[in-house]
């Protein structure tokens, strides 16, 4: 029974990897289409370059493509850093493009600072870049940090 559960779990895990890859391909196709339509948005901006709304519309299209690229990176190589990068772009887009109140701007700035502090202070230990949350590779030999990596990490923190 335990062997059947293990095989089923492994098959589900492999199918999830395949579905992630399939969704990454769909996102890539959408990004290519969006990049193709960026030309018309740029021409609209160029023709109305004295209007601030034309620039904000163009920047909005660019931000959408950048967020899509970061999302694609997150699908292809999931890690805490890629998730944080997507969130940073989303928050920055909200702050730059949306007309917000002073309180909303303050909350946005605080959230960006929080995301940067999470990225700086709450990260995976050295040598665990390929760590997956739902896999059992956390106790394998490859997940042990190498002695050189530990020495290099410690030397970076010395004044």
């Amino acid at each position: 029974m335990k062997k059947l559960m293990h095989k089923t779990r492994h098959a589900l895990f492999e199918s999830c990897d395949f579905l992630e890859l399939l969704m990454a391909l769909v996102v890539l196709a959408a990004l290519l289409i969006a990049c193709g339509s960026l030309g018309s948005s740029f021409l609209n901006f160029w023709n109305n370059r004295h209007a601030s709304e034309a620039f904000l519309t163009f920047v909005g299209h660019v931000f959408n493509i950048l967020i899509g690229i970061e999302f694609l990176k997150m699908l292809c190589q999931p890690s805490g850093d890629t998730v944080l990068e997507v969130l940073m772009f989303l928050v920055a887009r909200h702050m730059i493009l949306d007309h917000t109140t002073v309180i909303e701007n303050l909350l946005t700035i605080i959230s960006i600072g929080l995301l940067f502090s999470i990225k700086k202070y709450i990260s995976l230990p050295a040598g665990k870049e390929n760590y997956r949350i739902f896999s059992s590779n956390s106790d394998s030999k490859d997940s042990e940090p190498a002695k050189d990596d530990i020495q290099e990490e410690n030397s970076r923190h010395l004044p």
Side-chain angles (χ1 to χ4, degrees):
M1 182 68 167
K2 200 170 190 178
K3 206 174 205 181
L4 178 64
M5 287 288 283
H6 180 69
K7 285 183 180 182
T8 305
R9 183 173 291 146
H10 182 71
L12 286 173
F13 184 77
E14 292 297 322
S15 63
C16 288
D17 277 347
F18 174 75
L19 289 174
E20 279 181 351
L21 179 63
L22 185 64
M23 289 300 105
L25 291 173
V26 169
V27 170
L28 178 64
L31 282 171
L32 293 175
I33 292 169
C35 286
S37 66
L38 192 61
S40 63
S41 177
F42 179 75
L43 288 176
N44 185 29
F45 161 65
W46 185 257
N47 293 332
N48 302 315
R49 61 186 171 270
H50 301 292
S52 64
E53 287 299 316
F55 177 70
L56 289 177
T57 302
F58 175 70
V59 170
H61 289 283
V62 171
F63 260 120
N64 287 339
I65 292 170
L66 287 174
I67 291 168
I69 291 169
E70 291 298 322
F71 183 68
L72 180 63
K73 284 171 42 179
M74 185 182 72
L75 285 174
C76 292
Q77 190 175 16
S79 71
D81 285 341
T82 55
V83 171
L84 288 174
E85 288 173 7
V86 170
L87 291 174
M88 284 182 206
F89 273 109
L90 286 170
V91 172
R93 181 190 185 283
H94 171 75
M95 184 175 179
I96 293 170
L97 296 178
D98 294 343
H99 299 288
T100 56
T101 65
V102 175
I103 298 295
E104 289 174 330
N105 286 339
L106 178 65
L107 290 174
T108 303
I109 291 168
I110 290 170
S111 65
I112 288 175
L114 184 65
L115 288 171
F116 275 113
S117 64
I118 288 171
K119 187 172 175 123
K120 180 172 174 81
Y121 295 110
I122 304 174
S123 62
L124 291 174
K128 293 214 177 186
E129 290 84 15
N130 295 327
Y131 180 80
R132 289 179 164 236
I133 294 172
F134 297 111
S135 69
S136 61
N137 67 352
S138 60
D139 51 31
S140 68
K141 279 186 179 179
D142 295 337
S143 66
E144 292 290 326
K147 202 178 251 188
D148 294 336
D149 292 340
I150 293 171
Q151 289 174 349
E152 180 182 332
E153 183 71 25
N154 289 339
S155 67
R156 275 190 256 162
H157 295 294
L158 293 176

